Amino acid sequence: RDEDPMSTTEPQQPTPTSTTPDVEPHGLAEATAAARPHWKRDVVIFLSGQTISLFGSMLVQYAVMWHITLETKSGVALALAAVFGFLPQAIVSIFGGVWADRVNRKALIIGADATIAASTLALAILMLNGMTDLWLIFVALAIRSTGAGIQMPAVSALIPQITLTEHLMRVNGINGSIQSAMALIAPAAAGALYALASLTAIFFVDVVTAAIGIGLLMLVAVPTIRNAAAEGTGYFTDLVEGVRYIAHHAFVRWLLVLFGVVFLLTVAPSYLTPLMVARTFGDEVWKLTVLELAFSIGMVIGGIVIAVWGGTKNRVAMIVVSSVLFGVLSIALGLSTNLWVFFGFMFLVGIAVPFFSTPSMTLLQETVEPERQGRVFGFVGIVMAVAMPIGMVVFGPLADQFSVEILLVAAGILMFLVIATAVLVPAGRRAMHAANAATGPARDALVEES
């Protein structure tokens, strides 16, 4: 990733072995995948292992929140759980991104998964021995969040390393559908296990799923991108270079800013719609359940459509159109007067999410040099990790001063303004044009001189 981003040097073919040799970084995504006759097998094994591991992690996530709620009935305790569960990931993601560019990504994912599983196992053993203090759970949440901050950039950067470029959109769509499906299955499974067994039983399930995920990942050969020690570059040198790269990479800068703002504005539908349902349509539990199901099922269907269809070649157009659709649907939600119409719009919001997130991730994987992807996805992790707490801080108090309907309409209007600014400013137009071309002089234009 310390290669000149404007270089047009032809890539060298890496050796597809089970070891982790150092290889030439530029063009590695295409070279590595092309040298893998069994790349589909590797992708299936990798995604299967991540799915199993994710299932266990989500079981713990839901069960811990329910346990804290039932045992303490304290809003402060839940707030602390959110802080310990998300803040470490936001802080560590940037460092995790640097590690993903310096060491073998497969080893990094395995190490993070193993650390998370070990902390969960330790907590389970302590609780079985009568140590049920809340601070122990917070410590475990912080360790798990730290592991996620290390793991996420490595996973995002590893996918294009083992996938043919022309199939990235489909693979990302499949991965998104799997994550959405887990959001449907995990709560029900966690509830059943928590009711029939105990919190510690769920912890042991998580340890087992992590072990299975690690075992499957061991079957995938993943070469090391670069040898930082041999190049003589220090850790903080890589960190500063990554920040400088993002600051001067026209499209990455444009997309990260857009991603952050859109992600923040879509927090409104995510966190205010249950409140609107309770205030406007009634606080029956089934209504809130249908609301969440409508959104989650929509995301699953949207991901499946992307996986089967593969999307358009113009990734930027998909991002812009889906962002506009977010604005339209936010206003529609705010103006809804019928409960089932409201559910229908929420279903459409769910469908629209993969049409924004999948091409966004795919474009970063396609346009960012493989040896810099870890650091770039580290910043993406920060955006995703801080969006929820910021959204809660901003929209929560406003919802006590204004109706949710007004806030949803305002969020939709703001979305239109954001998209109009992003596509009309000259820098935005240049970045989008270069990203669509992705090769030759247009790709070179993605990086601006400081």
Side-chain angles (χ1 to χ4, degrees), residues 276 329-337 342 345 404-406 408-409:
M276 179 176 167
L329 291 174
S330 183
I331 293 174
L333 287 168
L335 298 178
S336 297
T337 57
F342 186 83
F345 285 133
V404 175
E405 288 86 342
I406 290 177
L408 289 172
V409 172

Side-chain angles (χ1 to χ4, degrees), residues 416-439:
F416 293 149
L417 295 176
V418 168
I419 298 303
T421 302
V423 301
L424 293 178
V425 296
R429 292 200 301 271
R430 289 195 300 270
M432 290 185 292
H433 174 73
N436 279 327
T439 57

Side-chain angles (χ1 to χ4, degrees), residues 74-104:
S74 168
V76 173
L78 288 173
L80 287 173
V83 170
F84 284 109
F86 288 95
L87 185 59
Q89 179 179 348
I91 296 173
V92 171
S93 285
I94 178 60
F95 304 104
V98 176
W99 292 327
D101 290 338
R102 292 176 65 87
V103 303
N104 185 269

Side-chain angles (χ1 to χ4, degrees), residues 130-426:
M131 299 180 66
T132 59
D133 294 344
L134 201 57
W135 68 269
L136 289 172
I137 296 178
F138 291 156
V139 170
L141 288 175
I143 295 174
R144 293 175 63 87
S145 180
T146 300
I150 296 172
Q151 187 178 27
M152 194 284 286
V155 170
S156 298
L158 189 146
I159 289 176
Q161 196 176 342
I162 63 174
T163 305
L164 290 176
T165 302
E166 59 265 31
H167 295 290
L168 267 177
M169 182 74 88
R170 287 189 172 91
V171 172
N172 284 326
I174 292 170
N175 192 32
S177 295
I178 290 171
Q179 294 182 20
S180 300
M182 289 298 100
L184 282 173
I185 298 171
L193 285 173
Y194 190 72
L196 298 175
S198 64
L199 181 62
T200 53
I202 293 176
F203 289 161
F204 285 116
V205 170
D206 180 50
V207 173
V208 172
T209 57
I212 295 173
I214 291 173
L216 289 174
L217 182 54
M218 292 289 290
L219 302 176
V220 180
V222 180
T224 300
I225 289 290
R226 55 187 279 264
N227 190 329
E231 294 172 7
T233 59
Y235 174 85
F236 285 101
T237 300
D238 277 356
L239 177 59
V240 172
E241 195 275 340
V243 174
R244 185 181 297 116
Y245 175 82
I246 292 172
H248 296 293
H249 193 296
F251 175 71
V252 171
R253 185 179 64 242
W254 178 85
L255 183 59
L256 282 181
V257 172
L258 179 64
F259 191 88
V261 175
V262 171
F263 210 91
L264 182 61
L265 289 178
T266 54
V267 169
S270 298
Y271 291 97
L272 296 184
T273 49
L275 185 59
M276 179 176 167
V277 169
R279 288 179 178 177
T280 305
F281 302 114
D283 57 1
E284 292 88 345
V285 174
W286 73 266
K287 294 178 180 178
L288 300 178
T289 302
V290 171
L291 176 68
E292 296 301 327
L293 287 174
F295 179 76
S296 298
I297 293 173
M299 284 189 63
V300 172
I301 293 175
I304 292 174
V305 170
I306 289 289
V308 174
W309 171 38
T312 66
K313 292 184 178 180
N314 191 331
R315 317 285 198 217
V316 175
M318 292 182 65
I319 294 171
V320 172
V321 171
S322 58
S323 300
V324 172
L325 186 58
F326 284 143
V328 171
L329 291 174
S330 183
I331 293 174
L333 287 168
L335 298 178
S336 297
T337 57
N338 179 277
L339 178 61
W340 292 101
V341 171
F342 186 83
F343 288 156
F345 285 133
M346 202 63 193
F347 171 75
L348 293 178
V349 172
I351 288 180
V353 169
F355 284 82
F356 175 84
S357 59
T358 303
S360 296
M361 299 296 284
T362 303
L363 261 176
L364 289 176
Q365 292 167 342
E366 291 174 339
T367 58
V368 176
E369 294 80 7
E371 68 276 11
R372 288 189 174 91
Q373 287 182 7
R375 281 165 283 183
V376 170
F377 284 117
F379 279 97
V380 173
I382 293 174
V383 171
M384 296 175 66
V386 302
M388 190 194 78
I390 291 178
M392 292 176 66
V393 169
V394 173
F395 291 111
L398 287 175
D400 291 334
Q401 303 296 323
F402 304 96
S403 70
V404 175
E405 288 86 342
I406 290 177
L407 295 179
L408 289 172
V409 172
I413 294 173
L414 285 174
M415 188 73 75
F416 293 149
L417 295 176
V418 168
I419 298 303
T421 302
V423 301
L424 293 178
V425 296

Side-chain angles (χ1 to χ4, degrees), residues 2-137:
D2 292 327
E3 294 287 317
D4 181 2
M6 299 177 68
S7 170
T8 56
T9 304
E10 289 295 321
Q12 297 182 10
Q13 296 295 325
T15 304
T17 68
S18 58
T19 58
T20 58
D22 298 318
V23 297
E24 291 296 325
H26 198 70
L28 182 67
E30 292 86 351
T32 302
R36 291 174 175 267
H38 306 296
W39 71 269
K40 289 183 179 180
R41 165 192 171 274
D42 288 344
V43 169
V44 169
I45 292 175
F46 177 69
L47 291 184
S48 298
Q50 290 301 298
T51 299
I52 294 170
S53 181
L54 175 65
F55 178 69
S57 296
M58 294 188 73
L59 288 180
V60 172
Q61 175 185 333
Y62 286 108
V64 165
M65 295 304 291
W66 295 338
H67 177 78
I68 294 174
T69 300
L70 295 175
E71 293 297 320
T72 69
K73 297 181 176 61
S74 168
V76 173
L78 288 173
L80 287 173
V83 170
F84 284 109
F86 288 95
L87 185 59
Q89 179 179 348
I91 296 173
V92 171
S93 285
I94 178 60
F95 304 104
V98 176
W99 292 327
D101 290 338
R102 292 176 65 87
V103 303
N104 185 269
R105 289 161 180 167
K106 169 181 168 179
L108 200 61
I109 296 169
I110 291 174
D113 248 350
T115 301
I116 292 172
S119 67
T120 305
L121 178 61
L123 179 60
I125 293 173
L126 290 173
M127 293 185 72
L128 285 175
N129 284 277
M131 299 180 66
T132 59
D133 294 344
L134 201 57
W135 68 269
L136 289 172
I137 296 178

